[in-house]
Amino acid sequence: MTVALQPGEAIQGAPEEETSRGASWPRYLALKGGGAAVSLVMVVVVGFFAFRVLPGDPAISMTRGRQVSADQVEILRKQFGLDQPLIVQFWNYLVGLLHGDLGTSYTYNRPVVDLIGTYIGPTLLLTGTAALVSIVLGLSLGQRAAWRRGTAFDRTQTSVALIFWSVPTFWLGLLLLLVFGGWLHWFPTGGMSTPGLGATGLAYVWDVVRHLVLPVTAMVAVVYAQYLLVMRASLLEEMSADYLTTARAKGLREDDVRRKHAVPNALLPTITLIFLTIGGLIGGAVTVETVFSWPGLGYLTFQALTSPDLPLLQGTFVVFSSIVIITNLAADLVYRVIDPRLKAS
Amino acid sequence: MFDTQSSSTARRRPLGRLALSLTVSAAVAAAPLAFAPAAFAAEDGDGGNYLRIATSADIDTLNPFTAVLGSSTGILTLAYERLVEWGAADNAPVPGAASEWKTSDDGLTWDFTFPEGRKWSDGEPLTANDAEWTLNAIQTDPDLQQASGGLVANMKSIEATSDTNLRIVLKEPQPQNPGNSMMVLPEHIWKDIKDPAEYRNAEDSVGSGPFTIAKWDEGQSVELKANPNFWRGAPKIDGIRFVYYKNADAQVQALKSGEVDIVSGLLPAQYESLKGVEGITVNAGAGRRYTSVAINPGAKDATGAPLGDGNPALQDPTLRRAIFMAIDNKTLLEKVLQGLGTLGQTEVPPVYPNYFGIDEDKVIPFDIDGANALLDEAGYVMGPDGIRLDKQGAPLNLRLMGRSSNPQHAQISEYMVSWLKEIGIGLNVAMYSDNQVNDDSTLGKYDLYFTGWGIGPDPDFQLSINRCSSYPNADGSGNLSENNWCDPKFDALFDKQHGELDPAKRADYVKQAFATIYDASVNNVIWYADSLEAYRSDRFTGFVTQPADGGVISGQNGYWGYYSTTPVADTSQLADAGAPTGLYIGIGAAVVVLGGLAVFLIARRRAATSDDRA
């Protein structure tokens, strides 16, 4: 509950602050952009040092259980650059980063940038689809629930959403897999496409869509509640507003009072929530990707933790964090564009 | 109200309606998605007989020089002949790329014969020159040592004296055949690769094993196709597809639904659930891994200084022995592993019968009373709260460390806590991440902990990490000590077996050496878990296991299991293991009709209300 309401609450104060300040566009941009840049720098620094605290020597972990001499472990350590002082490693990391080089993965022995490039596509496809479906579903159910507050529809929708929300994604995913994959055989049990099918064009798209259904369902079921609840809450706040009485007095149909007058105003906090959660959704794909063997970035991160594959961990951390920071910045900007009160000031 | 107060226009589609129609269209669209339940069973793009293997572990690279993860080396074993293979029947050395081998009397010079007629998958001849090139490449380039560096460390010179003869001169005699596990790569392909360490070898590779790598679809699957030039004869299937599954439950479901043909690494409960399923056969093959509880006997670093924080009382072998006497391995095997394994003895599992086992009179029995008597006699007096006191008068409260990733550790711990309580020893159990356990065990920061190793066919390496010289540096770098323990008597036995070229005599020394570890009560092997696997016997049959009697299909020291399989006569028509297709068609038709009706009604409603919109 708190998670869903926090962003909404945070926004409540925001418009007033900005209005009173009456910041001009360039100043606003500089302010928000600067904040984002500072966050990015922090991420870069934290990303390096945080993972050094992890237990496990990567060179020893990677050779564990194999026939290797101490000399070979040393060679490996040298290849990884682990024999250098931490500050030198940090400097190399910074210099690399400025050149768009996130280092070379220990495990996969290839540039982290390449690896992320390979795996980010499926993650964006999965989380993008899930985000879209849950936003549409959450918002439409949320406004209907608010409009008919206290009715059976409201109570059912809210409780169903909350029940799904409290279900662990992992468990729900496995359940879907068991029922629709293993038992009914309606959908594939894993992966993004059928290996060896050799499908191209539309047939390939069809194959991918079939593979998308279960993971998207699992993700949507767990996250759509927050959109529903915030939409419902912010619409409820609007519902006693005078302009709705005016609208009704004009003789407008109830449905249109809701759609054309109340919802646009109530949508503001929700839009910020959408941007805020998109970053989290991508990070949260780890579980779903693991259950449904989705070849995405989340699972790559999980793998990297086991070594620990430091360059890969740093790389995925920087990417995930950047997505969150950028979507937050986008939320700030979009908010200002769509809120006419801010524009006027 | 319904049709008099409308102001909406048909052009502006409100969110709610959009959502509704989206939902309806999604339902309509999903209906046909749900069809073709049996389609993925046998639908191969090229219509061939492909064995589809579920694989849970990730693949780092398919470059034989640098691949270290087990799943990658397992695939490479199928694609490249080693100089000498591990036999299917009993893991004894058998011909690979080389057909025979001779050792000089001093054990230093090894000659390998490459018979005429060995070919690469592209038809080029496979000769001693390929082997020379491969081994020299590993020895001279540190970047290429990641996978097999340890295998060439003892080689002084590597030379192809002719197309058919490879001579390896060793620095010192070694009992393990230097050709074992040593992959040979085609020189005519690899010599032109600019940076062989970076090469991923992901597509249409040239190899010498029963299969060659056709395509690696990263994060999803690896496809191998049969090698028609394989010297033992082409496989009877068209190829293999390794399909990634990132969790074991999904693998089980995929086997049931016919999306894969073989799964391995099953948990006992998963194994039981697949028993008796139509079209599926289960196999509990003898495993190569031991599971044990190790006791910190007083870890030291390479300089001989104490390392870590192990309880000093455990340096007394009598106390360690009493602890192991209080652990009932038989109960653990039956209750925790549901009997799917073999009772533990020394670190060598029974799949290697030459080195397995210990004399019956040396076995430490489960005997709580005996353990109590032993402790009483050794002077560990019982404290007032039922916990014995050590020689310094401190209560014997010990720590037991396990891995949170392994649920069996927690289960075993519960039994151990109550058993040890009966002999007056307190046990505090804590589970940590794999890396934490690895770090702490290397640094001697434990009293007791759960461990286990997969044992290779040659015991030399496993023994070597128990020598006094294997103590690590104070920071955990340098050598690796399996048990943080050292005994000159053991070192003498190690040297004896290491220099012994007569297999029977060597086996005897090896057994004695492992018995010394056992006797020191530093590592109590609880069990050797069976390797649990299941396959679609309605599609494939004839798997050769390793060892022949009660062995495994997957994860062999060789290619025998997958190489030997034959398709069942009628594999293209796999019986649909699910509900009748008619049911799906019925459900699908209903969804389509309802969906269509909904769309129609929505359209009608919109048409009706849009007339009098302002």
Side-chain angles (χ1 to χ4, degrees):
Chain A
M1 282 291 282
T2 45
V3 177
L5 293 178
Q6 261 167 5
E9 284 161 2
I11 308 307
Q12 299 303 318
E16 287 167 53
E17 182 193 296
E18 294 303 338
T19 316
S20 59
R21 200 183 290 156
S24 64
W25 255 113
R27 200 179 146 210
Y28 186 76
L29 263 181
L31 205 71
K32 294 294 172 188
V38 169
S39 308
L40 268 176
V41 171
M42 291 296 291
V43 160
V44 165
V45 176
V46 169
F48 180 83
F49 289 100
F51 294 119
R52 309 278 147 170
V53 183
L54 283 179
D57 178 328
I60 293 179
S61 291
M62 281 195 61
T63 52
R64 188 159 282 272
R66 288 191 302 130
Q67 215 163 323
V68 286
S69 65
D71 293 345
Q72 267 140 16
V73 176
E74 263 332 292
I75 291 175
L76 208 57
R77 205 173 270 128
K78 206 165 274 170
Q79 282 172 4
F80 294 164
L82 290 169
D83 55 333
Q84 292 167 326
L86 200 59
I87 194 74
V88 176
Q89 292 182 41
F90 182 57
W91 177 251
N92 292 340
Y93 162 74
L94 283 185
V95 171
L97 209 58
L98 289 177
H99 292 88
D101 177 8
L102 289 167
T104 303
S105 155
Y106 300 159
T107 318
Y108 299 90
N109 205 15
R110 31 184 309 218
V112 170
V113 175
D114 272 16
L115 275 169
I116 291 178
T118 309
Y119 285 89
I120 199 168
T123 296
L124 291 180
L125 176 66
L126 174 64
T127 48
T129 314
L132 193 72
V133 176
S134 32
I135 289 166
V136 170
L137 191 70
L139 297 196
S140 66
L141 291 177
Q143 48 164 296
R144 278 155 200 278
W147 212 250
R148 307 186 203 165
R149 65 190 175 284
T151 63
F153 176 84
D154 178 25
R155 281 199 302 271
T156 330
Q157 287 305 329
T158 317
S159 353
V160 167
L162 280 176
I163 288 169
F164 275 126
W165 195 18
S166 48
V167 166
T169 319
F170 195 82
W171 183 84
L172 181 67
L174 275 181
L175 201 69
L176 288 173
L177 192 86
L178 193 81
V179 175
F180 296 102
W183 188 21
L184 293 171
H185 302 188
W186 285 9
F187 298 103
T189 47
M192 193 171 80
S193 57
T194 311
L197 187 63
T200 49
L202 266 182
Y204 176 74
V205 173
W206 191 241
D207 189 42
V208 172
V209 170
R210 282 172 47 84
H211 283 79
L212 259 176
V213 173
L214 292 186
V216 165
T217 310
M219 275 186 105
V220 167
V222 177
V223 300
Y224 86 96
Q226 51 186 332
Y227 302 115
L228 187 153
L229 291 178
V230 170
M231 186 71 223
R232 183 178 175 276
S234 48
L235 190 57
L236 279 179
E237 270 183 38
E238 296 292 331
M239 277 175 63
S240 51
D242 291 343
Y243 66 85
L244 293 186
T245 317
T246 314
R248 287 199 184 92
K250 284 194 327 199
L252 289 187
R253 204 175 70 142
E254 196 60 15
D255 250 11
D256 295 311
V257 174
R258 167 169 63 88
R259 279 198 301 259
K260 299 192 69 189
H261 293 265
V263 169
N265 285 310
L267 217 48
L268 289 173
T270 323
I271 281 177
T272 319
L273 173 76
I274 289 170
F275 278 100
L276 284 177
T277 49
I278 281 176
L281 262 183
I282 292 177
V286 180
T287 327
V288 174
E289 287 185 4
T290 307
V291 174
F292 293 99
S293 312
W294 194 259
L297 214 48
Y299 189 72
L300 194 68
T301 314
F302 176 72
Q303 279 287 316
L305 263 172
T306 54
S307 296
D309 191 336
L310 298 174
L312 188 52
L313 276 175
Q314 281 157 203
T316 49
F317 180 72
V318 167
V319 168
F320 280 139
S321 313
S322 305
I323 292 175
V324 175
I325 292 171
I326 290 167
T327 47
N328 282 3
L329 181 63
D332 281 335
L333 301 183
V334 168
Y335 196 78
R336 197 176 153 102
V337 171
I338 57 169
D339 190 343
R341 286 167 297 188
L342 286 185
K343 247 186 274 180
S345 72
Chain B
M1 181 136 170
F2 176 70
D3 54 4
T4 55
Q5 299 188 327
S6 171
S7 70
S8 176
T9 67
R11 276 166 298 144
R12 282 197 197 169
R13 301 191 67 193
L15 204 54
R17 277 219 182 131
L18 183 65
L20 187 58
S21 37
L22 270 181
T23 315
V24 172
S25 350
V28 174
L33 280 180
F35 292 140
F40 26 59
E43 208 173 1
D44 289 322
D46 38 20
N49 280 312
Y50 275 76
L51 177 71
R52 293 157 310 166
I53 303 166
T55 173
S56 54
D58 208 0
I59 288 168
D60 43 359
T61 171
L62 292 173
N63 180 333
F65 286 124
T66 52
V68 295
L69 299 184
S71 46
S72 319
T73 53
I75 291 173
L76 292 171
T77 301
L78 299 167
Y80 296 93
E81 268 289 7
R82 278 85 68 92
L83 270 174
V84 176
E85 285 290 340
W86 302 105
D90 56 359
N91 281 298
V94 297
S99 60
E100 49 191 291
W101 45 92
K102 284 199 307 273
T103 323
S104 64
D105 289 341
D106 60 4
L108 288 175
T109 308
W110 289 71
D111 281 298
F112 294 88
T113 307
F114 286 70
E116 306 230 355
R118 289 274 200 281
K119 276 188 198 161
W120 293 102
S121 54
D122 62 355
E124 293 287 316
L126 190 170
T127 69
N129 298 305
D130 291 304
E132 183 200 68
W133 182 86
T134 310
L135 270 63
N136 272 325
I138 298 173
Q139 201 165 46
T140 52
D141 186 350
D143 286 346
L144 302 183
Q145 290 175 356
Q146 217 156 317
S148 312
L151 299 173
V152 299
N154 189 32
M155 293 180 188
K156 195 158 94 186
S157 72
I158 300 148
E159 190 195 355
T161 55
S162 69
D163 276 0
T164 55
N165 188 66
L166 176 79
R167 171 164 290 183
I168 296 174
V169 180
L170 302 176
K171 292 174 186 160
E172 54 179 82
Q174 69 175 48
Q176 178 177 337
N177 188 321
N180 267 139
S181 307
M182 195 70 248
M183 277 179 204
V184 181
L185 303 186
E187 181 186 2
H188 67 281
I189 303 286
W190 284 77
K191 73 172 177 355
D192 298 328
I193 294 171
K194 236 175 91 197
D195 190 351
E198 302 283 319
Y199 187 62
R200 297 177 61 232
N201 198 28
E203 218 164 56
D204 297 327
S205 77
V206 172
S208 55
F211 301 92
T212 56
I213 299 160
K215 194 172 141 227
W216 175 17
D217 196 354
E218 211 169 318
Q220 300 201 66
S221 62
V222 177
E223 185 174 305
L224 308 183
K225 60 175 198 290
N227 173 9
N229 292 331
F230 183 52
W231 70 276
R232 291 180 191 271
K236 292 178 241 25
I237 53 176
D238 295 310
I240 292 178
R241 278 197 194 96
F242 287 92
V243 186
Y244 289 12
Y245 278 91
K246 289 159 183 176
N247 81 83
D249 292 310
Q251 290 188 17
V252 172
Q253 299 310 322
L255 184 75
K256 282 185 177 167
S257 74
E259 285 170 83
V260 297
D261 299 312
I262 181 161
V263 296
S264 54
L266 297 172
L267 295 171
Q270 293 166 333
Y271 176 84
E272 295 295 336
S273 81
L274 287 170
K275 256 188 187 168
V277 175
E278 202 190 325
I280 291 176
T281 300
V282 291
N283 178 44
R288 290 188 285 156
R289 174 171 283 277
Y290 74 74
T291 298
S292 72
V293 179
I295 296 186
N296 187 343
K300 293 192 176 109
D301 69 17
T303 66
L307 184 69
D309 58 7
N311 190 319
L314 292 171
Q315 291 173 22
D316 177 6
T318 311
L319 175 59
R320 299 201 299 263
R321 188 181 171 86
I323 291 175
F324 286 158
M325 281 172 79
I327 301 174
D328 183 4
N329 292 340
K330 200 155 166 263
T331 298
L332 293 177
L333 175 66
E334 276 161 18
K335 300 289 182 192
V336 179
L337 206 58
Q338 273 114 72
L340 293 166
T342 311
L343 205 56
Q345 295 194 22
T346 67
E347 292 176 5
V348 182
V351 287
Y352 308 118
N354 295 339
Y355 309 123
F356 168 73
I358 193 167
D359 294 340
E360 214 167 294
D361 58 329
K362 291 263 179 117
V363 172
I364 300 176
F366 168 60
D367 181 359
I368 298 267
D369 295 340
N372 270 317
L374 208 60
L375 291 173
D376 289 339
E377 200 180 313
Y380 294 97
V381 290
M382 192 65 86
D385 53 354
I387 299 290
R388 288 177 188 272
L389 306 176
D390 67 15
K391 306 275 168 72
Q392 271 69 46
L396 275 174
N397 281 313
L398 303 174
R399 297 163 295 163
L400 171 61
M401 168 169 80
R403 291 167 192 263
S404 43
S405 61
N406 189 335
Q408 288 170 348
H409 290 177
Q411 289 171 271
I412 299 172
S413 302
E414 284 184 31
Y415 286 95
M416 280 180 60
V417 168
S418 69
W419 286 328
L420 289 193
K421 203 169 169 218
E422 290 184 48
I423 62 164
I425 292 177
L427 209 50
N428 300 313
V429 182
M431 299 292 157
Y432 299 107
S433 74
D434 288 358
N435 283 327
Q436 189 72 55
V437 173
N438 292 344
D439 272 10
D440 286 354
S441 57
T442 305
L443 292 170
K445 290 182 182 169
Y446 65 96
D447 295 334
L448 287 82
Y449 86 109
F450 290 103
T451 181
W453 282 74
I455 304 293
D458 192 281
D460 196 68
F461 172 73
Q462 203 65 35
L463 288 172
S464 76
I465 54 176
N466 281 290
R467 287 177 295 171
C468 293
S469 57
S470 62
Y471 276 139
N473 298 326
D475 63 354
S477 66
N479 292 320
L480 171 72
S481 177
E482 186 187 26
N483 292 308
N484 287 310
W485 161 90
C486 145
D487 181 354
K489 222 169 67 198
F490 173 88
D491 281 14
L493 281 166
F494 174 84
D495 291 341
K496 270 191 184 165
Q497 70 80 29
H498 191 75
E500 181 57 65
L501 296 173
D502 178 77
K505 280 190 196 156
R506 183 188 176 217
D508 190 43
Y509 292 138
V510 168
K511 282 176 80 166
Q512 287 183 44
F514 278 116
T516 312
I517 303 177
Y518 182 90
D519 207 38
S521 297
V522 289
N523 196 15
N524 171 38
V525 176
I526 301 171
W527 64 54
Y528 320 98
D530 284 344
S531 219
L532 305 177
E533 43 195 11
Y535 59 95
R536 300 270 348 175
S537 41
D538 53 0
R539 279 190 38 116
F540 292 97
T541 179
F543 295 98
V544 166
T545 60
Q546 183 189 47
D549 188 20
V552 288
I553 299 169
S554 313
Q556 296 183 348
N557 299 311
Y559 42 63
W560 317 104
Y562 302 146
Y563 168 56
S564 58
T565 186
T566 49
V568 172
D570 192 15
T571 54
S572 54
Q573 294 296 314
L574 175 65
D576 176 18
T581 312
L583 177 67
Y584 301 123
I585 296 177
I587 295 170
V591 172
V592 172
V593 168
L594 285 175
L597 198 67
V599 171
F600 174 73
L601 284 177
I602 289 169
R604 279 256 338 238
R605 183 179 146 178
R606 177 159 307 133
T609 54
S610 59
D611 289 344
D612 39 15
R613 276 174 194 160

